Amino acid sequence: NGYFHRGSYSPNCECAFSGESGARFSPGLAFIVEYPKLGLSVSFAAHYHDYSARFAYTETRNSIFIGNDPDSLVEYEKSSDVSLQYIRLVPSLFWYIPYTSVFFSAGLDLGFPLHARYDNRERIVTPGVLYKDGGSEITLLPEQDVPGGKNIKVSFALGVGGDLRLTTWLTLTPRLAASLPLSSVSSEDPSWKVLTVQGDLMIRVRL
């Protein structure tokens, strides 16, 4: 499962974190009812997904020094660790191209958050420079819940795949799919959304 954080968010400062992405293995289960004469299948799937990421960027700004040292430019790194995990429930419809085992899928992707928290930190990158307390890193915002992060996330799911029937009761189904976000991660940052693209292999056992 590949995920891409789109848009940006600002935890508690005049700053904007954006552009992180990653890939993780995501297990899931699906219950599928087939209607061969209609060329359709109805699927109800549940997945676990982890979209956590560390956001960071550097900036250089003029800084005031204690004592007789003149003001000078200092490089800082701003960072935010985001912990974001969901259980996704995806009801969808598979439509098979007539006389083939190739299908297109479409459905609704509902993300139920298990964990949605972030923080905000800053550290000095320039060597030999410290904050007035003697450290090189400060916490601007301790880890806390993302505003609106406990809301259900809604996406539109699309996919394409095919069935490889090994026996009358066992089928392998490779598929490429994507979930296009309709809702944001945070209620305070409406542009912050997570786009997902996944390649999966369903091992289907006929009951």
Side-chain angles (χ1 to χ4, degrees):
N1 178 69
Y3 56 94
F4 307 87
H5 289 267
R6 316 305 297 174
S8 64
Y9 71 95
S10 300
N12 64 329
C13 58
E14 294 182 1
C15 56
F17 295 99
S18 64
E20 292 302 318
S21 61
R24 287 187 174 91
F25 174 75
S26 300
L29 292 172
F31 181 76
I32 301 172
V33 179
E34 298 180 348
Y35 299 93
K37 292 183 179 181
L38 298 177
L40 299 174
S41 291
V42 177
S43 170
F44 185 83
H47 306 264
Y48 168 80
H49 285 273
D50 187 348
Y51 303 137
S52 300
R54 182 179 187 271
F55 294 78
Y57 69 91
T58 59
E59 66 177 14
T60 300
R61 64 177 186 260
N62 191 55
S63 299
I64 300 173
F65 288 83
I66 297 174
N68 298 322
D69 294 329
D71 299 353
S72 64
L73 295 176
V74 175
E75 185 177 12
Y76 298 85
E77 181 193 64
K78 290 183 176 293
S79 64
S80 177
D81 289 311
V82 175
S83 179
L84 203 59
Q85 293 96 33
Y86 291 93
I87 291 293
R88 289 171 49 196
L89 301 182
V90 188
S92 57
L93 183 70
F94 293 8
W95 175 78
Y96 286 83
I97 298 176
Y99 310 108
T100 74
S101 60
V102 178
F103 64 84
F104 295 97
S105 64
L108 197 62
D109 186 335
L110 303 176
F112 295 83
L114 300 174
H115 205 236
R117 295 175 67 83
Y118 61 14
D119 63 9
N120 187 13
R121 297 176 180 273
E122 181 183 89
R123 72 178 182 91
I124 297 175
V125 178
T126 302
V129 179
L130 300 173
Y131 293 103
K132 64 180 181 179
D133 64 359
S136 60
E137 181 174 324
I138 59 173
T139 299
L140 301 176
L141 180 71
E143 183 181 291
Q144 60 181 252
D145 292 337
V146 175
K150 294 183 179 180
N151 297 335
I152 297 174
K153 303 301 180 289
V154 182
S155 301
F156 184 57
L158 295 172
V160 58
D163 293 338
L164 303 175
R165 296 192 182 275
L166 303 181
T167 68
T168 56
W169 58 272
L170 184 63
T171 300
L172 296 181
T173 303
R175 181 179 61 157
L176 293 175
S179 288
L180 311 177
L182 302 177
S183 59
S184 61
V185 175
S186 170
S187 58
E188 293 187 358
D189 301 280
S191 70
W192 183 17
K193 300 177 181 180
V194 180
L195 168 69
T196 64
V197 179
Q198 66 188 56
D200 54 43
L201 178 62
M202 290 185 281
I203 303 173
R204 297 169 57 181
V205 179
R206 185 174 182 179
L207 302 179

